[in-house]
Amino acid sequence: MITELPRLLAASPAGTLPPGRPVTPEDGGPPPYWLSDDPAELTSWARLRARHHETGLWPLLLSGLSCQEDRPWIVGEVSPARMSSPDRYDAAELLAEGWAGGQPDEDDPEAQEITLPFGTRWPGLAAPGESTDPPDDFADECAEFVADGRARLGLVPAARGADTLASIGWTGPMNITGDSGKIASVVRSWEDRFGARVIGVGFDTLRLSVAAPPTTTEHALRVAAEHFAFCPDNVWQGSGTLADYADEIIGANMWVFWWD
């Protein structure tokens, strides 16, 4: 899809895009994304998301490091050639592996409480959420909260939002995996089960709108287990325990992940 970028941009109707440019990766290769010159306007994400089925370009709100805002998007600190296709993976298997890898030290009894009530046992995928809100329309509303006056608008050739994480060459979760194709595979599953949509991507952060979040404690615990397997830092360096994290995501329409 990377080689599709120039053609898709050329096919976009005149006046639909603000000033911007395709960005070439630092390690070479064709540009995997287009980046606006200025911060994104409040409603620009929704306007371009609505045209995705016509343009083949999924919009992202791209933010840089607070101390080095040119990283990673302005300077092209990305590696699309290193990423595999999400098609290669099964989300349930990836999360089971992540759950095992994020477990606390067996010799630390207090740490064992972090993943209660499941302990070391992977509980499996959570059931889908329920919502009457169309996920795309709901994402349009959430995007206005992510457009903070600093994030730039990005456009990526992709059939769905999750796939942009691999095709753009994002390296944010490097301390967990160097292959964002695996990250994209899990997000695909959340798109299908919870109406999640990829809205914002930072240097090492990811923001998803969620039209069908868990609404009960039991369901939230199962979803929290998936989040722990996906991004352990949300619990280890955030809420502290799976149970506390589950309380935070009950009814939450935005999921935010960060990899230290």
Side-chain angles (χ1 to χ4, degrees), residues 35-49:
L35 183 71
S36 66
D37 292 339
D38 299 313
E41 296 180 356
L42 198 62
T43 60
S44 58
W45 190 92
R47 176 172 52 82
L48 291 167
R49 195 283 309 159

Side-chain angles (χ1 to χ4, degrees), residues 4 39 69 80 107 182:
E4 292 288 285
E69 291 193 5
D107 297 328
K182 295 180 178 180

Side-chain angles (χ1 to χ4, degrees), residues 3-43:
T3 57
E4 292 288 285
L5 180 62
R7 181 182 66 80
L8 295 177
L9 289 172
S12 297
T16 59
L17 299 182
R21 63 184 175 89
V23 178
T24 300
E26 284 185 327
D27 54 3
Y33 60 96
W34 173 95
L35 183 71
S36 66
D37 292 339
D38 299 313
E41 296 180 356
L42 198 62
T43 60

Side-chain angles (χ1 to χ4, degrees), residues 78-242:
V78 295
S79 298
R82 291 166 45 192
M83 308 306 169
S84 61
S85 169
D87 294 335
R88 293 179 51 185
Y89 307 104
D90 177 87
E93 293 178 359
L94 290 173
L95 289 170
E97 293 172 6
W99 177 263
Q103 291 298 309
D105 188 344
E106 294 181 357
D107 297 328
D108 187 347
E110 292 186 3
Q112 295 297 313
E113 297 181 2
I114 291 175
T115 55
L116 292 176
F118 304 118
T120 59
R121 179 181 60 84
W122 165 240
L125 293 183
E130 297 181 2
S131 174
T132 58
D133 295 316
D136 288 337
D137 293 346
F138 189 82
D140 293 345
E141 298 178 15
C142 290
E144 295 188 12
F145 293 94
V146 182
D148 58 3
R150 298 175 64 183
R152 298 197 186 198
L153 182 66
L155 290 172
V156 187
R160 54 197 294 176
D163 293 0
T164 63
L165 304 175
S167 60
I168 203 171
W170 181 50
T171 60
M174 184 63 69
N175 68 331
I176 296 296
T177 176
D179 185 355
S180 287
K182 295 180 178 180
I183 299 294
S185 178
V186 174
V187 176
R188 278 183 175 185
S189 180
W190 290 342
E191 287 177 336
D192 295 338
R193 288 183 290 136
F194 303 106
R197 295 294 183 266
V198 178
I199 293 177
V201 188
F203 182 82
D204 56 4
T205 57
L206 175 64
R207 287 176 170 81
L208 311 177
S209 66
V210 185
T215 57
T216 67
T217 298
E218 182 180 1
H219 194 197
L221 279 167
R222 297 290 293 269
V223 175
E226 293 192 28
H227 287 199
F228 178 83
F230 180 74
C231 179
D233 288 338
N234 272 31
V235 175
W236 278 109
Q237 300 188 53
S239 53
T241 69
L242 203 68

